[in-house]
Amino acid sequence: MANYKAISATLETVARVLETSYEPSLLDDTPLQFLVYGSKDFEEPMTAGVSLFPYRIHANGAFRSPPSKRVTDEGVRHPPQLGLDVHFLLTAWGSRASLELAILGWAMRVLEDRGTLTASLLNGVSPGTFHGDETVEVVPADLPMEDMMRIWDGLPRDYQTSVPYTARVVRIESFVAPQPLTRVLEREFSVRVP
């Protein structure tokens, strides 16, 4: 499964999918940037484009790989994977509100069309990070407006129209080496007399 670079690679891949899908003729030949933002990037944001700001990363509640499920036919036990959901804000930037809304509508449509990121896309940004059979699904998230405002209150910028998304399930493999299982050859029982 994916290694520790998976979170970064996932967001960079979303940015690259948007970038490669964009044709300037769609929006009056406006050149756009597509970047993953940290909180400091909001101090001097881009002139026109799309930013992806990861505001929450947590363990996926539905994805668990119990140790018993990670034993191969050869008798090797693999440590459990860490399944994560990466929540991010997709924010459109532009010189006027109508351009920002057009960028936002276009970007949302692209993500709806390309909602599943394959390993070949993900590894195009960070080679060798994902196994060939892995995918990450990018879906719109449900974030109450109050929570959205709290996020923006913590950023060094006034509110900018944004849409929450979730990249799920980003699976990260353990650093612990797989362990061969040893067979039980003999059982011992003892009785303790009070």
Side-chain angles (χ1 to χ4, degrees):
M1 293 296 150
N3 65 32
Y4 63 94
K5 297 178 185 176
I7 298 168
S8 172
T10 297
L11 290 173
E12 291 292 346
T13 300
V14 173
R16 182 174 284 180
V17 163
L18 292 170
E19 183 177 18
T20 57
S21 300
Y22 181 64
E23 297 173 22
S25 60
L26 293 171
L27 298 170
D28 301 327
D29 294 320
T30 304
L32 300 182
Q33 290 182 288
F34 302 90
L35 300 171
V36 177
Y37 266 24
S39 58
K40 290 185 179 184
D41 294 313
F42 286 90
E43 292 174 4
E44 294 182 35
M46 64 182 79
T47 305
V50 174
S51 66
L52 308 172
F53 174 63
Y55 64 88
R56 181 177 181 218
I57 299 168
H58 68 91
N60 179 289
F63 177 80
R64 294 283 185 253
S65 61
S68 62
K69 297 286 186 188
R70 302 272 295 151
V71 177
T72 65
D73 291 340
E74 294 80 28
V76 176
R77 175 174 291 166
H78 292 267
Q81 299 166 343
L82 175 61
L84 301 174
D85 287 344
V86 179
H87 299 266
F88 63 94
L89 290 182
L90 184 146
T91 305
W93 303 90
S95 56
R96 58 191 190 285
S98 61
L99 176 59
E100 290 174 355
L101 294 173
I103 293 169
L104 198 59
W106 167 82
M108 292 175 71
R109 183 67 252 177
V110 169
L111 292 182
E112 186 67 23
D113 291 340
R114 300 284 302 268
T116 301
L117 306 176
T118 62
S120 60
L121 280 173
L122 293 158
N123 285 328
V125 169
S126 182
T129 300
F130 291 84
H131 288 246
D133 62 346
E134 289 184 90
T135 61
V136 175
E137 188 180 16
V138 178
V139 295
D142 184 24
L143 182 67
M145 194 59 172
E146 182 179 336
D147 293 347
M148 174 90 76
M149 299 288 47
R150 274 199 203 114
I151 293 169
W152 280 98
D153 285 344
L155 295 172
R157 176 116 186 132
D158 290 335
Y159 175 77
Q160 186 81 11
T161 304
S162 303
V163 179
Y165 275 86
T166 302
R168 63 180 186 200
V169 172
V170 179
R171 296 178 179 108
I172 299 179
E173 198 65 51
S174 176
F175 289 114
V176 177
Q179 300 294 319
L181 297 176
T182 56
R183 294 187 182 272
V184 176
L185 301 176
E186 184 177 313
R187 289 187 180 170
E188 290 184 19
F189 295 97
S190 62
V191 178
R192 185 172 161 188
V193 179

